[in-house]
Amino acid sequence: MAWFRDRGTEPADGELGTTTDTSASNTDVDVVAAPGDLERALADRQALIQLCLYALDRARSGGVVQRLEHGLADIGVTALRPDGERFDPSCHEAGGAIPTDDPALDGVVAETEVIGFAEGERLLRAPVVTVYAKRAQ
């Protein structure tokens, strides 16, 4: 019964691991964070996000990819698939081009090759896209 000794209590004869200690349910307890706890938590969060992106890139199952994307979305990290949007070099990475004769499609993202991710307004990873480009005459 080391657990009881560590908490400073001993079970009564015949008692099977229960105590009357209510300190764990006391709602008037102040939580005090040590200096650097917030910075450490934020650094850990970013490391876990990067690990999820790494796993997502290597996942072979659509279900796993979907689960990782939903989990990231739940914490504010959104997937970026800019298909149909105008190519913007400040937030998209061109991976290839598809020739087109339609001037309206020139510079439009045809498809997303690698999903990008953003956390709020901060771009974590630019999506790699294929862009329609006007065919040379």
Side-chain angles (χ1 to χ4, degrees), residues 73-121:
D74 287 346
I75 63 165
V77 177
T78 56
L80 303 174
R81 289 184 184 83
D83 299 4
E85 296 178 14
R86 276 251 167 263
F87 176 75
D88 181 350
S90 69
C91 56
H92 304 143
E93 182 180 327
I98 295 176
T100 183
D101 293 323
D102 184 349
L105 288 178
D106 187 33
V108 172
V109 174
E111 69 177 324
T112 302
E113 296 175 24
V114 178
I115 303 166
F117 288 90
E119 183 176 21
E121 295 296 316

Side-chain angles (χ1 to χ4, degrees), residues 47-60:
L48 288 170
I49 289 170
Q50 291 304 315
L51 182 62
C52 286
L53 296 182
Y54 178 86
L56 194 138
D57 289 343
R58 286 149 184 82
R60 303 221 183 274

